[in-house]
Amino acid sequence: MAFNFRPLALPLPNRRDLIALPLVIGMLLIIGHASRQMAVPFHLGETVALSLKPADLPEYALYTVLRMLAALAASTVFTLIYAWIAANNRYAEKIMVPLLDVLQSVPILGYLSITVTGFIALFPGSMLGLQFAVIFAVFTSQAWNMTFSLYQSLKTVPRDLTEAATLYRLGAWQRFWKLELPYAAPGLLWNAMMSMSGGWFFVVAAEALTVAGQQVSVPGIGSYIAAAIAAKNLGAIGWAILAMALVILSYDFLLFRPIVAWADKFRLDNTVSVDAPRSVVLDFLRRTRLTQRLARLPAVLWEMSVRLLPAVPLHKSPQRAPSVWGDRVFVVSMVLFTLGLIVALFLVLPRDFGWLQVGHVMLLGAFTALKVFVLVAISALIWVPVGIWVGLRPRWAAVAQPVAQFLAAFPANLLFPLVVVAIVHWHLNVNVFTAPLMILGSQWYVLFSVIGAASALPSDLREAGRNLGLRGWLLWRKLYLPAVFPGFVTGALTASGGAWNASIVAEVVSWGSHTLVATGLGAYITEATQQGQTLKVGLGVGVMALYVIAINRLVWHRLYKIAATRVRLD
C-alpha cells in the first residue's frame, strides 16, 4: 500500500498555543518532579513520615493521581489484550472468562499480601518497589470491569458492521482498531471512569501496606486518610475529602470530559445529535494550531502501522467449522483437570479443616451471596431508570458525571463510625444495617454502565420509536431497556464482584472500643486474617471464588448470551 508523505510544515502558534504549550510543559515538569520523589531511597524497617497538615495534601494528591493513572494505563493494555483473546477464541473464552470471575472475587488485600514482597525485592533500597505494589493493587480494582465491558461489546457488535468489515477486507488487527474498539469506546470509556473512581475506594488499603508484620505507608491521600482515622482527627478527614473532591473535579474537567466529547463520534448513529457532549478543554485545543498539529503526529504514525497490514483476499476460503476432535480434547482436558482438583480437595479439606468447618464456611458464603444478590437487585431497580434518563440527556450526563465519580470514589470506611454509632445507639440488626456498606462503592458500576449504554443509543432509533407512537412504559420496554441491557449486565456483574470484595471490610466494622461483626464470609476472612490463620484465609477466599464463579455462570453469563444473541442493535 502506497502512502503519500507530505512535508511536516509546522504552523505559527496562535494565542491559544501560547497558553496551551506552557501548561503542557509545566504539567510534564511537575509529573517528572513527582516521579523522582516517588523513587527516593527506602529500606524495609524505615518509618515513612506522614504529615496531617492540609498544606501537604496537594503533594500527596499528586502522588495518588499518578499511581492511579499508571494503574489505569496498565488496566487499559490488559483489557485490550485479554478481552480480545476471550472474545475471539472460543476455547480461551471458556477458561479466561471464569478466570476473570476468580480474579475479580479475590480481595485487594489478598493481592497485596502476595505481591508486595516481590516488588520490594525487584527494587532493593528504593521506594519504587512499594510504588509498584500500590499501582498493582489499584490495577486489580480497575481492570476487571473494563475487561468485562470490552468483552461484552466485542460479543455484541452488530452483524451488518461485521459484514461491512469483511467486504472492506479488514484483517483481525484492522477489524479490531477500525470497527470493534470504536464500537466499544463509549461503554469502555464510562467503565474506565468508574475504574478510576473504584481505585479511590481501595486506595486507603493500597497506600497503607503491611510488609513482614510492619506497617508501611506510601505518601498519598489514601495513607493520609488512614493516618487521620488512626488519630481520630476529624478535621484532617474533612480536608482529605475536600482534596479528593477537587482532584476528581480536576481530572474530570481536564481528562475524562474531553475524552467523552471526543468519543461521541464513535456512537452508532446516522444523525447528528443536537445535545452532543461538549468540553471546554477539547474546544480550546481544537482551536490551537501548533499544539493540535503536534498532537496529530502519534495518531498518523499509528494509522500508518495499521494500514501497513495486508488486506484479506476476497477469494479467501470460508472459515472452517469448529473441529469436533478439538472440542472433544478440550472437554476431556477440562473434565480431567476438574476431577483432579476435586480429588485434591477431598484429600486436603478433611485433613486441614474437617467437613464440619467446611460446611460452616459454605453456609457463611450463602449468607453473603444472599446479601449480594439482594443489594445488586435493589441497585438495579434504582439506577437503571436513572442511568437511562441521564444517558439520554448529554447535558445532564455532563453534570452527573463528576458527581457520580465523587460518590463512587468516596471511601466507605469513613462512614463506618456513623454506622457503628447508629447500630449501638438504636440496637439495630448488624446483618441488615452493615449490608449497604458492601454495595456503597460498587453500585455505581450499574449506573455508569447504563449511562454509557444509553448515551450510545442511536438518535435515529429514538426518532423511529417516537414516529411509531411508542410512549411511556411501551417505549421503555421495546427500546430503552433492550438497548441498555448489555451494559446493565456488565455493570451488575462488576457490582456483584465488587460487593463480594467489599464484604471483607463491610462485615466487620469498628470505631473506638466498639466492633460489630456480621454473619458472612467476609467477616470470616477478616477475622482469620487478623488472627494470622493463613489456612482459614485460603479456605474463605476459595469458597468466595467458588460462589462467585457459580453465580456468574448461572446468572450473569447466561444473560450475556441473551445480550449477544437477542438484544443487538442490528
Side-chain angles (χ1 to χ4, degrees):
M1 181 179 292
F3 293 95
N4 295 323
F5 293 97
R6 299 178 181 177
L8 183 61
L10 294 179
L12 294 176
N14 58 15
R15 291 177 300 174
R16 294 178 179 83
D17 284 308
L18 299 179
I19 299 175
L21 288 175
L23 289 177
V24 172
I25 295 173
M27 187 177 299
L28 293 177
L29 292 176
I30 292 174
I31 292 175
H33 171 73
S35 301
R36 288 194 300 270
Q37 294 299 317
M38 292 169 68
V40 296
F42 172 79
H43 295 86
L44 192 60
E46 295 181 0
T47 302
V48 179
L50 283 177
S51 170
L52 293 181
K53 296 179 180 179
D56 294 323
L57 267 174
E59 183 178 4
Y60 291 167
L62 178 61
Y63 296 153
T64 297
V65 170
L66 288 180
R67 296 185 195 108
M68 295 180 68
L69 289 177
L72 187 64
S75 300
T76 303
V77 175
F78 174 87
T79 295
L80 297 179
I81 298 173
Y82 197 101
W84 186 86
I85 295 175
N88 289 276
N89 188 302
R90 60 196 190 92
Y91 295 129
E93 181 181 19
K94 296 179 190 237
I95 298 175
M96 296 176 71
V97 175
L99 180 60
L100 202 60
D101 295 333
V102 176
L103 294 172
Q104 183 181 228
S105 65
V106 176
I108 186 174
L109 296 179
Y111 288 111
L112 277 173
S113 61
I114 296 173
T115 60
V116 62
T117 54
F119 281 113
I120 292 177
L122 286 176
F123 301 94
S126 174
M127 182 69 76
L128 276 177
L130 290 175
Q131 304 287 358
F132 277 104
V134 175
I135 291 172
F136 180 77
V138 177
F139 162 84
T140 62
S141 68
Q142 294 179 342
W144 320 135
N145 72 299
M146 294 174 60
T147 305
F148 273 122
S149 172
L150 182 58
Y151 166 77
Q152 174 265 321
S153 297
L154 295 180
K155 298 294 287 186
T156 57
V157 175
R159 294 185 184 90
D160 54 348
L161 294 182
T162 303
E163 293 171 358
T166 303
L167 293 176
Y168 278 103
R169 303 166 59 192
L170 299 182
W173 181 254
Q174 294 170 326
R175 183 188 300 254
F176 177 72
W177 290 106
K178 293 291 186 180
L179 169 62
E180 295 172 340
L181 187 58
Y183 171 77
L188 181 60
L189 177 58
W190 280 94
N191 277 275
M193 289 189 289
M194 185 65 241
S195 293
M196 191 71 172
S197 296
W200 284 99
F201 185 81
F202 293 104
V203 76
V204 176
E207 291 184 348
L209 308 174
T210 300
V211 183
Q214 303 178 20
Q215 188 74 20
V216 179
S217 295
V218 181
I221 289 186
S223 56
Y224 183 95
I225 292 175
I229 293 176
K232 294 185 179 181
N233 191 330
L234 295 178
I237 292 176
W239 282 111
I241 294 174
L242 177 61
M244 284 179 55
L246 294 177
V247 168
I248 292 170
L249 290 174
S250 298
Y251 69 64
D252 173 77
F253 180 78
L254 296 174
L255 178 63
F256 283 126
R257 189 166 297 186
I259 295 178
V260 168
W262 172 79
D264 186 65
K265 63 183 179 180
F266 297 126
R267 291 180 59 200
L268 190 62
D269 209 338
N270 295 325
T271 60
V272 178
S273 174
V274 296
D275 292 327
R278 300 290 300 273
S279 168
V280 175
V281 175
L282 184 62
D283 292 340
F284 180 84
L285 293 176
R286 282 173 173 170
R287 291 171 183 161
T288 60
R289 292 178 185 170
L290 182 60
T291 305
Q292 186 179 19
R293 186 67 61 87
L294 293 175
R296 285 180 180 176
L297 181 60
V300 172
L301 296 176
W302 180 257
E303 182 72 16
M304 290 170 55
S305 69
V306 174
R307 290 187 178 183
L308 283 173
L309 295 176
V312 178
L314 289 176
H315 60 274
K316 182 180 178 180
S317 59
Q319 188 175 5
R320 295 182 179 179
S323 172
V324 177
W325 283 105
D327 290 347
R328 291 175 180 175
V329 170
F330 180 81
V331 171
V332 170
S333 301
M334 291 296 99
V335 169
L336 291 177
F337 176 79
T338 304
L339 290 177
L341 184 61
I342 293 174
V343 170
L345 289 176
F346 270 86
L347 294 176
V348 172
L349 292 178
R351 182 191 65 193
D352 294 341
F353 305 102
W355 291 116
L356 186 62
Q357 184 175 358
V358 173
H360 173 67
V361 176
M362 293 292 294
L363 184 61
L364 293 177
F367 278 119
T368 302
L370 178 61
K371 288 189 284 187
V372 170
F373 181 81
V374 172
L375 291 170
V376 172
I378 295 174
S379 299
L381 291 175
I382 296 173
W383 296 121
V384 168
V386 174
I388 293 175
W389 191 89
V390 172
L392 295 176
R393 296 163 176 81
R395 293 180 181 177
W396 280 97
V399 175
Q401 178 181 318
V403 175
Q405 286 189 54
F406 175 75
L407 294 175
F410 189 84
N413 53 357
L414 295 183
L415 298 179
F416 287 2
L418 300 178
V419 175
V420 173
V421 171
I423 292 175
V424 172
H425 184 267
W426 284 292
H427 304 286
L428 303 175
N429 188 297
V430 177
N431 291 310
V432 173
F433 287 91
T434 58
L437 298 176
M438 296 168 54
I439 202 71
L440 190 64
S442 60
Q443 63 178 325
W444 309 109
Y445 289 108
V446 177
L447 177 62
F448 270 64
S449 297
V450 173
I451 290 177
S455 62
L457 181 64
S459 299
D460 50 356
L461 288 181
R462 297 168 58 183
E463 293 175 0
R466 296 191 191 100
N467 293 334
L468 292 173
L470 299 181
R471 296 291 186 273
W473 169 242
L474 186 62
L475 177 63
W476 282 68
R477 184 167 62 89
K478 292 295 185 180
L479 180 58
Y480 293 161
L481 292 178
V484 304
F485 183 70
F488 161 71
V489 174
T490 300
L493 189 151
T494 312
S496 174
W500 278 99
N501 203 326
S503 67
I504 305 297
V505 295
E507 291 184 343
V508 178
V509 293
S510 61
W511 178 256
S513 59
H514 296 285
T515 299
L516 304 178
V517 180
T519 301
L521 188 57
Y524 177 87
I525 296 175
T526 301
E527 291 180 329
T529 303
Q530 294 173 350
Q531 297 168 6
Q533 298 177 341
T534 308
L535 290 178
K536 287 187 175 181
V537 173
L539 176 62
V541 172
V543 170
M544 181 178 289
L546 180 63
Y547 269 102
V548 171
I549 292 176
I551 293 173
N552 288 351
R553 300 302 295 181
L554 292 175
V555 179
W556 301 120
H557 292 300
R558 288 181 182 271
L559 295 178
Y560 259 130
K561 292 181 180 179
I562 296 175
T565 57
R566 300 180 185 177
V567 186
R568 303 169 63 102
L569 295 177
D570 285 320

